[in-house]
Amino acid sequence: MQSSIPGPGSSGYLEMYPDRKVSFFKNPYILGLTAVASIGGLLFGYDTGVISGALLYIKDDFEVVRHSNFLQETIVSMAVAGAIVGAAVGGWINDAYGRKKATLIADVIFALGAIVMAAAPDPYVLILGRLLVGLGVGIASVTAPVYIAELSPSEIRGGLVSTNVLMITGGQLLSYLVNLAFTQVPGTWRWMLGISGVPALVQFSLMLFLPESPRWLFMKNRQKEAITVLTKIYDFARLEDEVAALTDQLEQEQQKRSDKGPLDVFKSKEIRLAFLAGGGLQAFQQFTGINTVMYYSPTIVQMAGFRSNELALLLSLIVAGMNAAGTILGIFLIDHAGRKKLTLYSLGGVIASLIILSLSFLNQSSTDNLYGWLAVLGLALYIAFFSPGMGTVPWTVNSEIYPEEYRGICGGMSATVNWVSNLIVAQSFLSIAGAAGTGPTFMILAGIAVLAFVFVAFYVPETKGMSFDEVELLWKQRAWGKNPDTQSLLGHGNQS
């Protein structure tokens, strides 16, 4: 006989036990686990942000870099190339050795890369260090969200996992502050890049005292160890329910699980449609220029006429601060405004901002710096519009649009689309700007943003408030030639 008592994490459960959500947020053990695991997001953000300022001083030290856009792009993008490989092997490491060991491995690789970069005698050794750091970032980008999610009570899982995204933007902001702090210190860029190993060492030290994910322990038939971890998160009354729920979930997943490969995604029309939406969002996130701004914003500021390294870094710091603030806003709005509406507003602002940037460079003159300030305004507006919508929505949508048996493979494929698109943008921006001009380059990005707007408006569904079953039904109906609206599907599926 089916129980009428709402399960943990459901809205009915929270109505019966309204104090549970608050009490979980007051649990220092849960908050401590989240804080330590989120250092992975901090490393991710720091590495993507710090190179933008360090590059200004690397060009001063290495003449061959100063005269080669290709070398500059390679120094920036090699970390992205490493992250593609790291993310690909990160999933296997997580499954084979656990979330804790995967985090420790990522920290060791990242710290080693930081040492290599700081001691690099030439740009080619520096590129090797960037590759190592990228490997660490890739593994961490896969591991941190999973570790946090699997150790979080369902009532507060969304908020805790979102802290990892916030830590990424916080890491970018921190990198600009560190860049400014070392502008007058001998060694400049070596300190900027080398100090990134400190958070990795801190996380490594703290992770030694933290537990493995109870979900992974259950999967490896180490139930006693898993229950020991769960007793530190839940009270006795809730513990039995959680153990039973975890056992049932794993049994269902094992029954559903099959050896799905990338080719299987394209054999089913509804999965093909879902992946097009998820992968398309990830590609447009990069091709609308976000990492052009995050990797090259000080360089763009200097292109706009502000030649001082310190001023370029200071103005870029404002951009990074707006990115972090926008992410916080996005976390709040995504469940209130909805995914689709938030993305469309975001892209509308991105298009206008890129046009402002393009016009500022097209009308730039050496005697009037008005258009230089207009370019800085365009950068600030760009990040203010991008971060709440296009910065957060693609990852959220990809976590909820795939059926259980395809969620892992499609999630990995869409993340790979993101990293590869990131690499293409990072490796080509300076070369395209050098060949076509900075103004036309931003106009090209504006054109891509228009395509993204059309794609989201006509193809990406609204998934706010929908269960996994309802989303799966949505894709099946689209595959049958129907195009249902969200409201008509709400309530048709069971909450997953």
Side-chain angles (χ1 to χ4, degrees):
M1 181 175 177
Q2 188 173 354
S3 172
S4 61
I5 300 175
S10 69
S11 58
Y13 185 90
L14 291 179
E15 288 170 5
M16 291 176 62
Y17 306 103
D19 60 325
R20 289 284 172 91
K21 187 171 183 177
V22 175
S23 65
F24 281 133
F25 271 120
K26 291 181 179 179
N27 186 327
Y29 186 74
I30 297 172
L31 298 180
L33 292 172
T34 303
V36 175
S38 294
I39 295 175
L42 182 76
L43 292 172
F44 185 173
Y46 186 92
D47 180 69
T48 57
V50 73
I51 193 62
S52 62
L55 188 61
L56 303 179
Y57 296 92
I58 292 169
K59 290 187 291 184
D60 290 341
D61 277 8
F62 298 127
E63 186 176 355
V64 65
V65 175
R66 185 164 61 251
H67 297 296
S68 172
N69 283 338
F70 177 78
L71 267 180
Q72 293 177 43
E73 291 167 337
T74 303
I75 290 170
V76 170
S77 63
M78 191 52 62
V80 181
I84 294 172
V85 178
V89 301
W92 173 78
I93 293 173
N94 269 266
D95 287 341
Y97 299 104
R99 290 49 164 141
K100 179 176 178 176
K101 287 183 179 177
T103 302
L104 294 173
I105 291 169
D107 288 333
V108 170
I109 295 173
F110 197 98
L112 179 61
I115 294 170
V116 171
M117 290 189 299
D122 58 56
Y124 307 103
V125 175
L126 176 59
I127 288 170
L128 173 62
R130 291 285 293 164
L131 178 65
L132 289 171
V133 165
L135 286 170
V137 165
I139 297 171
S141 71
V142 172
T143 307
V146 173
Y147 184 74
I148 295 171
E150 292 182 348
L151 279 158
S152 301
S154 54
E155 291 89 337
I156 59 173
R157 183 172 298 140
L160 293 182
V161 174
S162 295
T163 61
N164 190 60
V165 179
L166 180 59
M167 288 290 275
I168 293 174
T169 55
Q172 291 170 335
L173 177 60
L174 176 64
S175 71
Y176 283 92
L177 289 170
V178 170
N179 283 345
L180 273 174
F182 286 101
T183 54
Q184 301 299 324
V185 176
T188 52
W189 63 269
R190 296 183 185 277
W191 285 102
M192 295 172 182
L193 299 178
I195 205 171
S196 65
V198 174
L201 293 175
V202 170
Q203 186 181 45
F204 182 92
S205 301
L206 294 174
M207 280 298 299
L208 293 174
F209 300 97
L210 296 187
E212 181 52 81
S213 156
R215 188 181 185 86
W216 184 83
L217 291 171
F218 258 88
M219 290 173 62
K220 298 299 180 180
N221 295 316
R222 294 162 60 179
Q223 284 86 351
K224 287 185 178 180
E225 295 175 62
I227 292 171
T228 299
V229 177
L230 292 171
T231 57
K232 298 179 182 179
I233 299 173
Y234 302 103
D235 58 31
F236 182 78
R238 174 74 178 271
L239 179 62
E240 186 177 351
D241 290 339
E242 289 297 326
V243 172
L246 188 56
T247 303
D248 290 342
Q249 288 171 13
L250 290 175
E251 287 178 356
Q252 291 173 12
E253 287 181 13
Q254 286 171 357
Q255 292 172 358
K256 280 187 170 183
R257 188 177 293 129
S258 58
D259 296 326
K260 300 294 183 184
L263 293 180
D264 294 308
V265 172
F266 302 99
K267 293 177 182 178
S268 166
K269 187 173 181 181
E270 57 260 35
I271 306 303
R272 200 162 60 236
L273 292 173
F275 176 68
L276 178 59
L281 274 174
Q282 295 284 34
F284 277 124
Q285 183 191 66
Q286 295 302 319
F287 286 121
T288 49
I290 180 55
N291 281 317
T292 294
V293 172
M294 296 316 299
Y295 294 151
Y296 296 113
S297 58
T299 302
I300 293 169
V301 170
Q302 288 192 334
M303 288 176 176
F306 302 95
R307 300 302 177 189
S308 165
N309 286 352
E310 290 80 3
L311 181 58
L313 287 172
L314 181 60
L315 292 174
S316 298
L317 175 63
I318 298 172
V319 174
M322 295 184 70
N323 190 27
T327 302
I328 296 172
L329 180 63
I331 291 171
F332 172 77
L333 289 176
I334 195 165
D335 285 321
H336 289 76
R339 287 81 161 122
K340 186 167 185 171
K341 184 182 293 185
L342 182 59
T343 306
L344 291 174
Y345 277 118
S346 175
L347 283 168
V350 163
I351 293 166
S353 305
L354 288 169
I355 291 173
I356 290 173
L357 270 166
S358 178
L359 293 176
S360 68
F361 280 101
L362 288 171
N363 292 280
Q364 190 177 7
S365 70
S366 59
T367 58
D368 184 1
N369 206 30
L370 173 63
Y371 288 103
W373 286 108
L374 186 62
V376 173
L377 174 63
L379 277 177
L381 288 174
Y382 173 89
I383 206 69
F385 281 108
F386 186 97
S387 53
M390 282 300 286
T392 56
V393 170
W395 295 105
T396 301
V397 168
N398 271 278
S399 72
E400 59 193 10
I401 62 171
Y402 305 119
E404 170 65 37
E405 60 266 37
Y406 285 94
R407 198 166 297 144
I409 185 66
C410 287
M413 287 170 63
S414 66
T416 302
V417 168
N418 186 289
W419 281 114
V420 171
S421 303
N422 187 334
L423 177 62
I424 292 170
V425 171
Q427 187 64 44
S428 62
F429 172 71
L430 291 179
S431 295
I432 294 174
T438 309
T441 300
F442 281 117
M443 193 61 75
I444 292 171
L445 293 175
I448 295 173
V450 171
L451 294 177
F453 187 96
V454 174
F455 174 79
V456 172
F458 290 98
Y459 190 79
V460 177
E462 176 58 73
T463 54
K464 172 189 172 184
M466 297 180 70
S467 70
F468 288 138
D469 288 344
E470 289 161 353
V471 175
E472 188 172 350
L473 177 61
L474 181 150
W475 290 118
K476 286 180 179 179
Q477 293 199 5
R478 285 197 173 190
W480 298 335
K482 300 178 182 180
N483 194 18
D485 59 59
T486 301
Q487 292 302 317
S488 68
L489 288 169
L490 287 172
H492 281 73
N494 298 319
Q495 184 66 39
S496 299

